[in-house]
Amino acid sequence: MWRELGTCNICDNPIKYQLSDDSGPHVYHLREQIICEKCGATSRDRIVMWSLSNCMQMEDTLFNIRENKNIRILESHGYRGYPKILDTKFDYFNTIFSTDPQLKSKKPRNYADFQDLHYDDNYFDFILASDVFEHVRLAERGFSEMYRVLKNAGYFIMTIPFDYSREKTKLRLSIGKEESDDKFIEPPEYHGGQTLVYRNFGRDIFETLCS
């Protein structure tokens, strides 16, 4: 393990970052490591929040950005330190996946299905999806929903596990008419031990998003 001094662009603390080696003496998972000791943010969290600040044309850290509750943000499964800050600064919807219409009706800010969103057109200024869409069964429908609820001048900020050397996205399941009809065509893969991966994205994701 090594530590380095720096400033977290989320919590604005001049603190030490720590990098743990979980997979051998020379292999570091930089994307999910370099952890802020105060807010727990990883490299992936910081690049998402940097992208958000950049799209807002704000050069300050997230913690120091001025409150503006007129900015509406939708996210799926935001966690660690930054959601609390987003919630104090903006009109922030941090949702958990659910297809239950009663849950979505009673708590529309807390539950959502990115394949079938219950929000109006042109509703959000920003949508954040950090490592979400590899788990979305009907990803292309989900992308269409993102653009439907996003304002014309809005931003969709997404991260995905991505292999640039792969030309085509590899489906891990054959998607049937109903979810019960889905069939594995690759060995099952799960993130976090329980969240099913439907696809491994390739370079064709850019064409998908542009279409």
Side-chain angles (χ1 to χ4, degrees):
M1 176 182 290
W2 58 258
R3 296 170 181 261
E4 188 67 40
L5 292 174
T7 300
C8 179
N9 69 316
I10 294 177
C11 66
D12 195 47
N13 267 275
I15 53 173
K16 293 179 180 179
Y17 294 95
Q18 64 181 27
L19 178 64
S20 61
D21 175 11
D22 294 327
S23 49
H26 304 296
V27 180
Y28 293 128
H29 294 294
L30 294 178
R31 190 171 179 271
E32 302 298 333
Q33 292 283 344
I34 314 184
I35 300 165
C36 171
E37 291 183 331
K38 183 172 188 289
C39 71
T42 64
S43 297
R44 174 159 58 96
D45 297 333
R46 285 190 295 276
I47 194 60
V48 170
M49 291 301 103
W50 177 87
S51 300
L52 178 64
S53 300
N54 190 56
C55 290
M56 291 180 178
Q57 299 183 335
M58 303 285 188
E59 296 184 359
D60 213 336
T61 61
L62 180 64
F63 184 80
N64 287 322
I65 290 177
R66 288 188 301 175
E67 176 184 323
N68 186 347
K69 291 292 186 177
N70 291 319
I71 295 177
R72 188 176 290 135
I73 300 174
L74 172 65
E75 182 168 26
S76 175
H77 292 79
Y79 66 109
R80 287 185 284 267
Y82 73 83
K84 292 180 181 179
I85 302 176
L86 288 180
D87 193 48
T88 63
K89 304 284 185 179
F90 310 109
D91 188 11
Y92 177 55
F93 292 53
N94 187 11
T95 64
I96 297 172
F97 171 74
S98 177
T99 59
D100 186 333
Q102 290 187 339
L103 270 180
K104 293 188 289 184
S105 177
K106 290 179 179 178
K107 296 184 176 181
R109 304 175 68 92
N110 304 113
Y111 296 94
D113 177 0
F114 270 32
Q115 303 159 115
D116 184 22
L117 291 171
H118 53 287
Y119 309 113
D120 294 336
D121 295 356
N122 305 313
Y123 194 66
F124 292 100
D125 298 284
F126 297 91
I127 299 175
L128 311 178
S130 181
D131 282 22
V132 169
F133 269 86
E134 68 270 26
H135 305 296
V136 175
R137 180 173 176 266
L138 304 175
E140 291 192 12
R141 182 185 295 179
F143 292 137
S144 295
E145 282 290 89
M146 299 301 100
Y147 288 106
R148 179 183 67 79
V149 302
L150 195 64
K151 293 180 180 179
N152 290 334
Y155 292 87
F156 174 39
I157 300 171
M158 177 180 74
T159 68
I160 49 173
F162 174 71
D163 182 358
Y164 191 78
S165 67
R166 181 181 292 118
E167 180 180 1
K168 298 290 185 182
T169 294
K170 179 172 70 174
L171 291 175
R172 305 192 66 84
L173 290 88
S174 174
I175 305 298
K177 186 176 180 180
E178 302 293 338
E179 190 169 354
S180 58
D181 299 325
D182 294 352
K183 297 184 183 302
F184 284 103
I185 54 179
E186 296 285 343
E189 179 180 334
Y190 296 89
H191 289 170
Q194 59 183 1
T195 308
L196 180 64
V197 176
Y198 281 92
R199 61 193 56 77
N200 302 119
F201 284 106
R203 295 196 306 274
D204 59 342
I205 181 59
F206 301 113
E207 297 175 11
T208 299
L209 291 173
C210 288
S211 65

